[in-house]
Amino acid sequence: MTIRMFIGTSANGEDAEAEMVYEYSIRKNTSEDVNITWMRQTHDVESVWGGWNTHRWSTPFSGYRWGIPAACNFEGRAIYTDPDMINFRDIADLWNTDLKNKPIAARRGKRFDGHEFCVMVIDCAMIASHLIPLSRMKSIEEHHHRMIHKFSGNDDLVCDLDPRWNCLDGEDRAVNDMWILHYTNMATQPWRPAWYTGKHETHPRQDMIDLWYSMKSEALNSNYVPNIPNVAFGPYDIIGR
């Protein structure tokens, strides 16, 4: 079995350290083969990830999650996540989530009046009838927000995912009660991506920061470096928002 996993990320390597930590933690804890696609902005308009209108996105990758079914030819399953995470559990367990005959699984949350779509299990065939063609999707500035409005809180379309698969900045959980830790507040992320231009703040849980640096050290000590073409740590020319 090969698990298809799509992870949104920045175009120019601003999140390269986060990618390294996250991918290391995925492969460390997963029993099956995982095929990871890093979804990056590109000037290649023939690419699934090229030619999008990103002006209303809050991150460089916000709307890409809705293009995943097309990237999979509307066949089989796919997992989507943000890049700012640490995984502690076998991703095969997430892959095998019972979708209860619904096109998406995502955790309940307050930010979007229903569900949090930063970790999703997607039935690529079942969701097809709820999406517009990829070419139109790319051109509509507010498309990402339309999709959130359509799916969030819609119990006919979204199966509730265990919140431990998307633990937002630790919440009030112990580390051994998290399956995926999500550093969702961009202001407090320890690697401080260059595309985020807001004010930096102190994370409310020092143990979450210590955990990220510990995992980073473990990855580096294991000689683990992800394959990120044309990227080196340092300042970057950001394609767009």
Side-chain angles (χ1 to χ4, degrees), residues 25 36 41 49 57 73 92 95-96 99 107 112 116 129 146 150 153 157-158 176 178 201 226-227:
S25 71
I36 294 177
Q41 293 182 42
W49 321 119
W57 294 5
N73 297 313
W95 176 258
N96 291 320
L99 295 180
R107 71 159 284 177
F112 305 115
E116 305 272 351
S129 62
R146 288 185 186 179
K150 176 174 184 168
L157 298 178
V158 184
N176 61 9
M178 303 174 190
E201 301 173 3
N227 181 20

Side-chain angles (χ1 to χ4, degrees), residues 61-79:
F61 52 84
S62 296
Y64 285 154
R65 69 202 75 191
W66 310 111
I68 291 170
C72 294
N73 297 313
F74 298 100
E75 296 174 348
R77 285 192 172 198
I79 292 172

Side-chain angles (χ1 to χ4, degrees), residues 115-141:
H115 291 92
E116 305 272 351
F117 295 110
C118 23
V119 174
M120 296 194 294
V121 183
I122 306 169
D123 185 313
C124 297
M126 187 173 289
I127 201 174
S129 62
H130 301 285
L131 302 175
I132 63 175
L134 181 65
S135 58
R136 288 182 58 206
M137 192 184 298
K138 288 184 176 187
S139 67
I140 299 173
E141 183 174 301

